[in-house]
Amino acid sequence: MQPIFRFAPSPNGELHLGHAFSALASYALCRQMGGRFLLRIEDIDIGRTRPEFEAAIFRDLAWLGLTWEEPVRRQSENMTAYRAALDRLAGERLIYPAFMTRGEIAAATSTPDWPRDPDGAPVYPPHDRLLSTEDVSRRVAAGEPHTLRLISDDAIAQAGILSWHEEGRGPEGESGTVTGHPEAWGDFVVARKDIPTSYHLAVVVDDADQSITHVVRGQDLFHATSAHVLLQRLLGLPTPVYHHHRLITDAVGRKLSKSDRDTSLRALRENGATPADVRAMVGLQQDVRAD
Ligand code: GLU
């Protein structure tokens, strides 16, 4: 089977050196394996997505020398597939409407020992799982805003032990066969208030729809992989090989963000940097290793 790789940026800011490293590393591994390379625009965050950022993604990646297959998939055009995945989870009674506002969550989880997920957010309180069926139906019918969350303990019990093959490294050096810990995320969101999906659900559905065999991405998403493998099991989808790579940091060791203007690829290009300079800046020479 021919390997299939992807780069999946979100058009909510300009690409920076961290994205360049991720895209170039994925592309190089893909080439080494004689694979196909796809680009996916992760634009479910309607409030933050801008067409000019999408145009900039194409321009920056082409400037770096990447080519990808057309047509490019946009998550915003794929809501039917996400809805179908949600229906399947609902059919198995593995999701529930969650009504708590940010403020209510903060108040309910303010004790110092309240568990936090790998991103540092408080694990969702059990409150909404204890509501009566009538109460839930009435609030949904009344149009009360709600997310959909996974009933994580039931889901994990159903899925059994989860693992994936890690070809890169996790933050603690995890590599080879890695055992997932989806319980760390608690009842995570599978559909946001405004859209019938979440990052975790969309990425899993799309990787499967696009037959992705190798996911190359930053170590900041290593722990998310536990949630992804859980959803893959529940939805009967294959688990790709994962390759989590080191993160490109700024001078004081912080992860780059889209608001760091000076490391944006556009700023670097306008200041005279070449694609070869970008490769050197992220420590990728001709002979590429991504970890
Ligand atoms: N869209 C995500 C981001 O820009 C990447 C998702 C992934 O590679 O799984 O951070």
Side-chain angles (χ1 to χ4, degrees), residues 6 8-10 19 40 42 199 203 207 215-217 220-221 228 258:
R6 49 72 162 182
S10 305
H19 298 104
R40 182 166 77 226
E42 301 217 318
Y199 160 63
V203 87
D207 282 340
V215 171
V216 180
R217 61 186 181 189
D220 51 339
L221 292 170
H228 298 173
K258 284 185 170 151

Side-chain angles (χ1 to χ4, degrees), residues 13-250:
E14 296 202 321
L15 297 189
H16 54 57
L17 281 176
H19 298 104
F21 177 62
S22 203
L24 288 166
S26 184
Y27 196 69
L29 288 166
C30 177
R31 284 287 137 112
Q32 274 171 17
M33 293 181 65
R36 294 169 51 198
F37 190 76
L38 310 184
L39 176 62
R40 182 166 77 226
I41 300 294
E42 301 217 318
D43 59 352
I44 56 169
D45 196 347
I46 319 157
R48 294 170 66 213
T49 290
R50 300 266 176 282
E52 58 273 28
F53 290 137
E54 186 184 297
I57 287 171
F58 297 142
R59 191 189 56 219
D60 289 346
L61 295 178
W63 176 68
L64 286 175
L66 270 61
T67 56
W68 53 87
E69 293 183 14
E70 298 285 348
V72 168
R73 186 184 188 95
R74 275 188 198 80
Q75 290 191 322
S76 57
E77 294 169 358
N78 210 25
M79 295 297 169
T80 316
Y82 309 139
R83 253 183 248 276
L86 285 175
D87 285 347
R88 178 158 172 174
L89 296 174
E92 308 233 6
R93 301 192 182 284
L94 290 176
I95 55 180
Y96 66 96
F99 301 98
M100 290 175 85
T101 61
R102 266 173 220 265
E104 286 167 344
I105 298 172
T109 62
S110 62
T111 52
D113 54 349
W114 191 270
R116 299 204 160 248
D117 72 21
D119 283 346
V123 164
Y124 196 71
H127 183 268
D128 290 334
R129 280 171 62 166
L130 304 174
L131 298 173
S132 70
T133 322
E134 298 76 54
D135 203 6
V136 171
S137 309
R138 184 183 47 73
R139 291 171 73 171
V140 170
E144 187 170 328
H146 60 273
T147 59
L148 295 176
R149 289 181 177 264
L150 192 71
I151 303 179
S152 53
D153 41 0
D154 288 359
I156 291 167
Q158 181 170 323
I161 293 184
L162 303 170
S163 66
W164 74 86
H165 184 66
E166 176 62 53
E167 287 197 337
R169 296 222 180 288
E172 309 291 332
E174 300 91 334
S175 156
T177 303
V178 173
T179 303
H181 288 287
E183 67 282 359
W185 292 98
D187 291 354
F188 60 84
V189 175
V190 288
R192 297 201 209 158
K193 286 191 173 137
D194 47 354
I195 40 165
T197 190
S198 66
Y199 160 63
H200 293 311
L201 186 74
V203 87
V204 160
V205 168
D206 284 338
D207 282 340
D209 275 2
Q210 296 190 286
S211 306
I212 301 300
T213 59
H214 290 72
V215 171
V216 180
R217 61 186 181 189
Q219 271 173 359
D220 51 339
L221 292 170
F222 178 83
H223 293 297
T225 307
S226 289
H228 298 173
V229 177
L230 173 59
L231 289 174
Q232 287 156 4
R233 288 292 180 290
L234 299 173
L235 295 168
L237 303 175
T239 295
V241 166
Y242 287 89
H243 187 128
H244 293 92
H245 57 68
R246 64 184 162 87
L247 298 177
I248 304 295
T249 52
D250 66 11

